[in-house]
Amino acid sequence: MINRQWLLASRPEGSIEDTNFSYKECEVPNRELKPNEILVKNLLFLCAPTMRNWMSPPGNSLYPSIPLGSPIMAPAIAVVIESASAEYAPGDRVSTRAGWQDYEILSTDLVPVGKIPDEMTSVDAMGKFGLNSLTGYFGMLEVGQPKENDVVVVSGAAGATGSVAAQIARIKGCRVIGIAGGDQKCRWLTEECQLDAAVNYKNATVEEELRQLCPDGINVYYDNVGGDILQAAIENMAVKGRIVLCGQISSYNDDKPSEGPRNMMRLIYGSITMQGFLTRNYTDNFPSAISNLKTWYEQGKVLFKEDVREGFENLPLFYRALFDGSNDGVLLVQINSD
Ligand SMILES: NC(=O)c1ccc[n+]([C@@H]2O[C@H](COP(=O)([O-])OP(=O)(O)OC[C@H]3O[C@@H](n4cnc5c(N)ncnc54)[C@H](OP(=O)(O)O)[C@@H]3O)[C@@H](O)[C@H]2O)c1
């Protein structure tokens, strides 16, 4: 059996290029497993914007940067082929962090591994009820703490994380405005997700649009983007507003971390809080969050968009869709069938 791999050939400078990746075929790992190791076959990868940070030189990322010549690291769904762990048996499907390759040995002591219930498809486990939806859930509810009638603004609102955060704020009785790139995405937000308004940041002066849409200010701003859009929201925050820092995708392709807001006095005068968070801070509460998301989904209160693509060979090409906005919801790549 052949193990296909996509390796990090060079560190991207600016946008990701084909030359940053190299394709290799090698043998499937074939050694005796150590205690708590599992041999898995990867089935499905999540394309996560922050993987771009993992490709950068060491220094500014939560995870160690991917070593040159190693498989690209990504959130994955895999099936256990062999196990030296009492917790996982051959045939179990697991959610984990793996390399862009077909087969690998994972140490369950070193990487997060969670079993997927039999009744849940791999796409649902990584999509509707996966990391991005949970991010929107905890970021909005735990950090944003939206209250009825609050004015809530979400950037990256048509994306995997943002669309869930925005719809949860709507369920909580808030007036919700999404910011997204393109009229089609904005129409989806207002017509199907039933947000109150949407701003196409590619055609509008966001700061001015927000001023008109939120004359009394923004109570909760959920930020996936950073940069100028974060600044536009800061200029429009209401007193005691809350800013949820979820992501900074507008700067992931930059050589240096994006600068913070230009006008911190706005935060002081407005007694505004700005708080970052990581979804993994809330792992103990994942089961109840998934149960709530399922209920809302079955009641038609939350829509999820899953952009499922196929083909190991196209991983580097597909991944780039996150940065030109051509992904249509949570971006998943199926590389082997379940
Ligand atoms: N804190 C956490 O634990 C955590 C966990 C997961 C994700 N995140 C963050 O959440 C954010 C969204 O991630 P996701 O996986 O849900 O991706 P996503 O929103 O489904 O896809 C990325 C979207 O970002 C937008 N975008 C790309 N470049 C941009 C730019 N320069 N300016 C403005 N918008 C841009 C594009 O939408 P448009 O067409 O609207 O431009 C694109 O479709 C990311 O910042 C990610 O790092 C954080």
Side-chain angles (χ1 to χ4, degrees):
M1 277 190 302
I2 284 174
N3 188 28
R4 299 169 296 172
Q5 298 182 312
W6 276 112
L7 310 177
L8 184 66
S10 59
R11 300 205 180 278
E13 290 172 11
S15 300
I16 294 170
E17 307 286 344
D18 284 345
T19 49
N20 298 130
F21 305 96
S22 62
Y23 178 79
K24 189 179 154 190
E25 291 180 357
C26 61
E27 292 294 311
V28 176
N30 182 19
R31 65 163 170 79
E32 198 170 322
L33 299 179
K34 296 181 196 148
N36 295 333
E37 284 187 339
I38 52 178
L39 171 68
V40 298
K41 180 180 179 185
N42 291 319
L43 305 175
L44 182 79
F45 290 117
L46 170 70
C47 293
T50 200
M51 290 160 53
R52 170 64 183 81
N53 298 320
W54 304 345
M55 297 177 204
S56 293
N60 197 43
S61 181
L62 176 69
Y63 295 109
S65 86
I66 301 167
L68 287 173
S70 294
I72 303 297
M73 187 169 69
I77 303 286
V79 62
V80 178
I81 305 289
E82 250 181 78
S83 175
S85 155
E87 281 181 61
Y88 306 99
D92 284 348
R93 279 174 313 136
V94 293
S95 170
T96 187
R97 199 171 61 243
W100 277 3
Q101 57 187 334
D102 289 304
Y103 296 91
E104 67 188 284
I105 293 172
L106 298 173
S107 165
T108 61
D109 293 330
L110 299 179
V111 291
V113 181
K115 237 188 262 189
I116 298 171
D118 287 344
E119 65 278 10
M120 192 179 280
T121 66
S122 299
V123 167
D124 281 358
M126 197 52 111
K128 293 181 185 69
F129 310 115
L131 281 177
N132 287 319
S133 297
L134 292 166
T135 301
Y137 181 98
F138 291 111
M140 181 53 73
L141 291 178
E142 297 290 330
V143 187
Q145 309 224 344
K147 309 203 177 30
E148 204 174 348
N149 298 322
D150 272 355
V151 173
V152 174
V153 174
V154 178
S155 63
T161 303
S163 60
V164 173
Q167 292 176 87
I168 288 176
R170 197 212 57 224
I171 290 169
K172 294 293 166 188
C174 302
R175 187 167 159 259
V176 187
I177 296 148
I179 304 174
D183 290 336
Q184 203 180 338
K185 288 187 178 185
C186 287
R187 268 198 303 279
W188 180 70
L189 288 171
T190 51
E191 291 172 12
E192 296 189 46
C193 300
Q194 293 172 31
L195 302 200
D196 296 278
V199 175
N200 174 0
Y201 73 89
K202 293 191 173 162
N203 278 351
T205 308
V206 177
E207 186 179 328
E208 193 43 46
E209 290 274 318
L210 291 179
R211 189 158 294 128
Q212 286 181 20
L213 286 166
C214 318
D216 297 323
I218 301 167
N219 302 106
V220 178
Y221 172 57
Y222 185 105
D223 189 34
N224 278 314
V225 166
D228 291 343
I229 295 181
L230 170 60
Q231 188 67 43
I234 283 177
E235 301 299 340
N236 282 287
M237 292 303 290
V239 169
K240 295 208 170 147
R242 294 156 321 269
I243 298 172
V244 182
L245 293 180
C246 176
Q248 299 259 299
I249 194 168
S250 70
S251 66
Y252 293 173
N253 280 329
D254 292 348
D255 292 338
K256 56 182 173 60
S258 88
E259 292 182 3
R262 283 187 294 278
N263 186 356
M264 299 302 276
M265 285 311 288
R266 289 277 315 143
L267 304 192
I268 295 168
Y269 292 143
S271 304
I272 292 158
T273 50
M274 184 153 85
Q275 187 185 333
F277 76 100
L278 286 171
T279 314
R280 67 178 202 178
N281 299 347
Y282 300 98
T283 41
D284 289 349
N285 298 330
F286 279 10
S288 62
I290 290 170
S291 163
N292 286 335
L293 287 168
K294 262 191 193 156
T295 305
W296 288 330
Y297 176 64
E298 282 158 12
Q299 293 172 339
K301 291 182 177 168
V302 175
L303 305 179
F304 297 101
K305 264 196 175 173
E306 287 158 341
D307 183 343
V308 187
R309 306 185 185 194
E310 283 184 18
F312 185 86
E313 61 284 3
N314 290 321
L315 270 167
L317 175 73
F318 291 156
Y319 181 72
R320 274 174 279 183
L322 291 172
F323 294 90
D324 63 21
S326 59
N327 63 313
D328 193 17
V330 62
L331 184 57
L332 304 173
V333 183
Q334 184 99 45
I335 64 151
N336 288 300
S337 50
D338 282 28

